[in-house]
């Protein structure tokens, strides 16, 4: 087998089997990188049609000055349709991008193993099937590796390089280097259900679906909170609509089944209903949103403008309170504003209403623990200095004036304000906590290293920052507390904390204690 830390030479021919959107995208990447590329599909004429589409895409890149005319000519000439699988016999790398069916993939790779030279690399673009299982029937299973691209392959940065139980480490390194030469950001991962991205991303959908099922907020409001407060590129419902509910539900079900029914990956009955109804998202015209012609676009629920509070006290040591103070100052708001620290952890007192940053408890639980009535909690934000929306929840013990007072403060600081039902962790905090927990567990179970998981989630699904990076920013202790509060509220193992995360918090608390003792000495 070709094994080099520099990747395949551009003289090495690459084959892509499967001329759908993903296969065509991979073929485009290889051709632009300088390889001779063969595209094969069992459907008559499919490879020729795909190559014509690739050339049209490359022409658009030339128009946008992202590709030179010389590069266009070279890449166009490099693409060739393979009418028979025998045309691929001289290829040094074959990337399979066919239907997600284990037996179909096994049969194809058995053919390829008999056809190709001993130094050729076999790669599968599977997003959910075990590389170990696909390779198991090969005479030399060590020559098969996962090369999982993300759709659309020419645009998405990430490539997961997946090693099965038998995959040769040098071969995986070669594929990693080849992906880099193609302009991608590869990460190594072990073949486990969902690999990195499709495993770690499950809570982004699952927590939103649970909040919707509980009536905490509507689809458009939850999406707006995740975008405008959490900083995510797309809200979970619009993202599921784009992916397709048949695909998204199938991946969730696959991971759930592969982990023997672990409740962390439990599929949603709400999403199953959409699949059964044929409401698959954008491609069918209906999903969580209605995409049919003439349909009214759903808008997020925002509280009506409220009077500015008469008196505000901010705990200026808190980062969110400090950001509020700066935003109020920048807006020219003239408010009775004082700075004070509170022993109960509140970040502000607004006309007698205590405002807390969510710690994973409901506002009602927070009020009960403190023995006070007027309590509002605010959700986590990626960046309080630039966020456009704030999500709040109000304790059941509070008066109707409580949300109005807090909304008046936040609106004066330039936020649109959405009041959610009083669910623990609200939307952003509970989602980020669960993403960080799943990422931590992937590292704990040696699926990948910590750097890889953050790279994967930024490059594969466009998260604003990696989940472990986010945990470091807000503190591992904050994440753990939120998970423990969620677990206590629901009484479900779904919210159990990763052993790695709990160990990390214990180690940091011990270090802090030792540091304090050293200073006292």
């Amino acid at each position: 087998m070709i094994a080099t830390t520099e990747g395949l030479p551009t003289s090495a021919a690459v084959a892509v089997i499967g001329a759908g959107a993903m296969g065509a995208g991979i073929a485009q990447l290889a051709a632009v990188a300088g390889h001779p590329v063969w595209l094969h599909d069992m459907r008559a004429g499919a490879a020729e049609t795909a190559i014509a589409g690739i050339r049209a895409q490359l022409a658009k890149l030339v128009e946008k000055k992202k590709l030179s005319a010389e590069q266009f000519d070279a890449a166009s000439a490099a693409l060739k349709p393979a009418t028979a699988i025998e045309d691929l016999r001289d290829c040094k790398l074959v990337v399979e991008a066919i239907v997600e069916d284990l037996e179909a993939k096994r049969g194809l790779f058995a053919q390829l193993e008999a056809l190709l030279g001993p130094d050729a690399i076999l790669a599968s673009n599977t997003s959910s099937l075990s590389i170990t299982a696909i390779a198991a029937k090969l005479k030399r299973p060590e020559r098969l590796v996962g090369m999982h691209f993300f759709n659309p392959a020419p645009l998405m940065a990430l490539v997961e390089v997946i090693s099965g139980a038998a995959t040769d480490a040098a071969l995986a390194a070669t594929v990693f280097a080849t992906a880099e030469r193609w302009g991608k950001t590869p990460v190594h991962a072990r073949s486990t259900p969902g690999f990195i991205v499709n495993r770690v991303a499950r809570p982004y959908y699952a927590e939103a679906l649970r909040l919707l099922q509980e009536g905490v907020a509507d689809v458009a409001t939850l999406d707006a909170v995740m975008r405008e407060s959490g900083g995510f590129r797309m809200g979970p419902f619009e993202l599921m609509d784009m992916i397709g509910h048949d695909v998204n539900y199938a991946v969730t079900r696959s991971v759930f089944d592969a982990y023997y029914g672990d409740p962390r990956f439990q599929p949603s009955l709400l999403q199953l209903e959409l699949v059964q109804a044929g409401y698959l998202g954008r491609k069918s015209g209906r999903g969580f949103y209605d995409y049919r012609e003439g349909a009214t676009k759903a808008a997020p629920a925002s509280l009506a403008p409220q009077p500015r509070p008469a008196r505000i006290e901010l705990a200026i040591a808190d980062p969110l309170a400090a950001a509020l103070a700066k935003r109020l100052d920048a807006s020219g708001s003239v408010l009775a504003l004082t700075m004070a620290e509170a022993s109960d952890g509140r970040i502000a007192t607004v006309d007698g209403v205590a405002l807390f940053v969510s710690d994973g408890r409901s506002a009602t639980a927070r009020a009960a623990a403190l023995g006070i009535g007027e309590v509002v909690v605010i959700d986590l934000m990626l960046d309080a200095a630039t966020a456009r929306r704030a999500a709040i929840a109000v304790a059941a013990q509070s008066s109707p004036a409580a949300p109005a007072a807090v909304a008046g403060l936040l609106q004066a600081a330039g936020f649109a304000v959405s009041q959610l039902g009083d669910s623990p962790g609200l939307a952003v905090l509970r989602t980020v906590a669960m993403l960080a927990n799943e990422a931590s567990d992937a590292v704990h179970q040696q699926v990948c290293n910590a750097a890889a998981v953050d790279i994967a989630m930024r490059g594969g699904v466009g998260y604003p920052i990696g989940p472990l990076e986010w945990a470091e920013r807000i503190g591992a202790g904050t994440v753990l507390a939120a998970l423990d509060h969620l677990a206590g509220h629901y009484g479900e193992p779904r919210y159990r904390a990763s052993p790695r995360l709990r160990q990390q918090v214990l180690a940091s608390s011990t270090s802090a204690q030792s540091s304090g003792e050293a200073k006292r000495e």
Side-chain angles (χ1 to χ4, degrees), residues 503-517:
Q503 284 282 86
Q504 185 180 355
V505 173
L506 289 171
S508 62
S509 64
T510 303
S511 297
Q513 184 178 0
S514 299
S515 177
E517 290 172 354

Side-chain angles (χ1 to χ4, degrees), residues 8 12-16 26 30 35-39 91-95 182:
L8 289 176
V14 172
V16 180
I26 298 168
H35 294 272
V37 178
W38 291 88
L39 184 58
C91 292
K92 301 303 181 185
L93 168 65
V94 179
V95 183
W182 292 5

Side-chain angles (χ1 to χ4, degrees), residues 44 63 202 235 365 369 402 460:
E63 290 176 11
R202 293 342 303 156

Side-chain angles (χ1 to χ4, degrees), residues 26-44:
I26 298 168
Q28 177 179 323
L29 283 169
V32 171
H35 294 272
V37 178
W38 291 88
L39 184 58
H40 176 66
D41 197 289
M42 291 180 63
R43 298 167 297 161

